[in-house]
Amino acid sequence: MMFDIAVIGGGPAGYTAALEAANRGKSVVLFEERELGGTCLNRGCVPTKFLSHAAELFLQAANFGRYGISAKTISLDYIKTYEENMSVIRKLRDGLTELLEQGNIKIVSNRAELLDETHIYDGNDVYECRSVIIATGSVPSAPFITGAITSDEIFNLKQVPNTLKIIGGGIVAVEFAHIFNALGADVTICIRGDRILRKWDREISVGLSQSLKKKGIKILTKCTPEILAQCDADVVLSATGRVPNLIKAPDGMLTFGEDGGIIADDCGRTQTAGVYACGDVISGSVQLAHVAMEQAKRSVRDICGEKQPPLCAVVNCIYTCPEAVSVGMTEVDAKAAGLEVLSAKQVMSSNARTLIVSDDRGFIKIVAEKSSGIIVGAQLLCERACEIGSELALAINNNFTVEQLANSTRPHPSFCEAVTAASETWLKKVRQI
């Protein structure tokens, strides 16, 4: 049978591409050798955020006394936590399966390989298609320490370890450090460099580092290979990045970047006509589910001959407590791009909602062109940063000025009031120049 579009991979990029194509009346076959939903649903975003929510509830319970609430016994049944986490995953996966089936998408539960640009082999049968979208995602980098586990295996733990050593200082590392520290583990982060989140805005890196240390998490910097290789904890988590999960394809069909990912343009087009790639498998991927979904939509639109919308600013999120977000350019990025910018920051210690909820330090920072006031970026370290970041992304994507951002009434008391305060601070700084 001939299909209009074959999608290889059933994660956020893959299932989004399949549904987008089906909604346009295209016949679609979707190949996924493991569970539908990919890493995000089964071994990444969703189970991590469930554990993060459990951790935050446990932290809140430990601080009931601040609000005059007395709870004599607070305990954690991690087996129950584990079982409920798996239950949520199953419900979402069942819902996704039903959604794909309702779209008349044929699901093939085998590993696929490309025979050429129009034929795919799954180990049993050959499928013919007019276009192919490769959305096979990424996998954790292999641990270089004997006995270490990756972020895939950490969800298999049936109890909170007494001691947890984390190798790496990126998003995965700090999120799991926050989770297991809150749930009672003695957590140590070990990195080769001098700070965690080295690719992030320095103020976020330093601020979040201080927050983690305040909670009792140890951060060891400039670690030697010998220190990193020591298995001196109940569990050692290797969180040193992810690599593209490639499929078998004829030589010369695809080209690859230095990171091993497939080279594709903004529409997902590879060097072979009719063959597209999107999500974590492409070279230079930011490895975010919401970006993978948008890339998938762009690939389907291109296949259908539709006009593409402009690329949008990406909201990068870290689900710790407080949350961290970077959207658009940092001040350093903007200056490197030749822009003359000005930044303004509102610290959360004067935000009423923040003082009600926690005593964590934080800020909202806005970066805008000095002459025009057009917002080019924002960095946040605060409660609900991941939601507030979407407002700032909308402003950046629509070339809003700081004055326009300031002229929006936000509820009081709220975390997002700090956006108004940061905007007003920026306008005041400009007037004083």
Side-chain angles (χ1 to χ4, degrees):
M1 179 179 177
M2 167 70 80
F3 291 90
D4 292 321
I5 299 176
V7 180
I8 305 176
Y15 68 68
T16 298
L19 291 168
E20 193 80 5
N23 287 339
R24 285 166 167 73
K26 300 294 184 181
S27 58
V28 183
V29 57
L30 172 67
F31 298 87
E32 174 52 63
E33 63 176 322
R34 298 184 68 177
E35 310 94 338
L36 286 171
T39 294
C40 177
L41 175 53
N42 298 285
R43 300 170 297 281
C45 315
V46 172
T48 303
K49 301 318 169 277
F50 181 93
L51 289 181
S52 181
H53 182 62
E56 289 171 19
L57 291 175
F58 206 51
L59 283 175
Q60 290 171 9
N63 290 295
F64 277 169
R66 181 190 175 200
Y67 303 95
I69 302 170
S70 177
K72 292 183 179 180
T73 303
I74 300 172
S75 62
L76 174 69
D77 181 352
Y78 194 71
I79 290 293
K80 172 64 177 174
T81 306
Y82 168 84
E83 290 173 348
E84 184 61 23
N85 199 358
M86 296 303 106
S87 175
V88 169
I89 291 171
R90 284 192 297 271
K91 289 176 183 176
L92 290 171
R93 194 165 56 222
D94 289 346
L96 174 60
T97 303
E98 183 178 354
L99 194 62
L100 292 167
E101 290 174 346
Q102 288 174 351
N104 293 317
I105 296 165
K106 181 174 178 58
I107 301 170
V108 178
S109 301
N110 292 320
R111 184 174 183 82
E113 65 175 89
L114 280 171
L115 300 179
D116 55 37
E117 60 267 37
T118 58
H119 293 86
I120 298 171
Y121 180 57
D122 77 334
N124 297 310
D125 301 304
V126 175
Y127 296 80
E128 189 174 5
C129 60
R130 294 182 175 86
S131 299
V132 177
I133 297 177
I134 303 170
T136 45
S138 62
V139 294
S141 299
F144 61 88
I145 301 169
T146 302
I149 64 173
T150 69
S151 56
D152 278 3
E153 290 88 45
I154 199 165
F155 297 108
N156 298 329
L157 296 178
K158 300 296 176 62
Q159 63 181 24
V160 176
N162 290 323
T163 55
L164 173 64
K165 178 179 181 178
I166 301 177
I167 310 300
I171 296 173
V172 172
V174 298
E175 287 192 350
F176 279 117
H178 156 66
I179 288 167
F180 283 98
N181 165 259
L183 296 180
D186 182 355
V187 179
T188 301
I189 296 175
C190 299
I191 56 175
R192 288 177 295 181
D194 59 0
R195 66 183 175 104
I196 60 172
L197 303 171
R198 60 182 177 83
K199 295 181 180 180
W200 281 65
D201 176 79
R202 177 170 284 275
E203 282 193 90
I204 286 181
S205 171
V206 172
L208 193 50
S209 179
Q210 291 172 341
S211 176
L212 294 175
K213 289 177 180 178
K214 183 180 177 182
K215 292 176 171 64
I217 297 169
K218 295 180 283 293
I219 301 176
L220 305 183
T221 60
K222 299 181 180 178
C223 292
T224 63
E226 292 74 22
I227 292 175
L228 294 175
Q230 291 173 0
C231 288
D232 47 358
D234 294 337
V235 174
V236 178
L237 170 64
S238 177
T240 55
R242 300 180 65 86
V243 295
N245 181 31
L246 300 175
I247 63 168
K248 188 175 180 181
D251 292 341
M253 176 176 284
L254 305 169
T255 52
F256 304 93
E258 292 183 1
D259 58 0
I262 299 169
I263 294 176
D265 67 11
D266 289 343
C267 293
R269 292 179 292 231
T270 68
Q271 71 166 18
T272 300
V275 178
Y276 293 72
C278 53
D280 286 10
V281 76
I282 66 173
S283 179
S285 170
V286 294
Q287 298 181 347
L288 294 169
H290 47 285
V291 174
M293 292 174 177
E294 179 57 30
Q295 290 170 343
K297 292 176 183 177
R298 294 181 71 87
S299 292
V300 173
R301 292 188 198 115
D302 192 74
I303 291 170
C304 295
E306 298 176 14
K307 184 179 179 181
Q308 296 284 359
L311 290 172
C312 59
V314 174
V315 182
N316 291 278
C317 307
I318 305 177
Y319 290 86
T320 47
C321 188
E323 296 174 349
V325 159
S326 183
V327 55
M329 294 181 173
T330 65
E331 193 170 4
V332 172
D333 294 335
K335 289 178 178 178
L339 299 178
E340 189 175 5
V341 295
L342 185 69
S343 67
K345 182 174 64 176
Q346 174 63 33
V347 295
M348 302 305 288
S349 57
S350 59
N351 176 265
R353 187 71 187 279
T354 298
L355 291 174
I356 292 168
V357 172
S358 73
D359 60 353
D360 279 316
R361 298 174 61 179
F363 62 86
I364 291 179
K365 180 168 60 175
I366 293 172
V367 182
E369 291 182 341
K370 187 184 294 184
S371 58
S372 66
I374 293 175
I375 303 162
V376 297
Q379 291 75 49
L380 301 81
L381 181 63
C382 61
E383 297 277 350
R384 306 292 190 274
C386 297
E387 279 75 23
I388 300 170
S390 297
E391 174 188 356
L392 291 159
L394 184 65
I396 294 168
N397 292 330
N398 288 279
N399 293 318
F400 283 7
T401 65
V402 178
E403 187 170 7
Q404 288 174 309
L405 191 65
N407 289 336
S408 178
T409 302
R410 297 174 177 85
H412 174 79
S414 67
F415 301 111
C416 64
E417 277 185 295
V419 173
T420 303
S423 302
E424 291 174 345
T425 299
W426 191 95
L427 292 169
K428 182 178 180 181
K429 289 175 73 172
V430 166
R431 288 193 291 266
Q432 292 174 344
I433 294 175

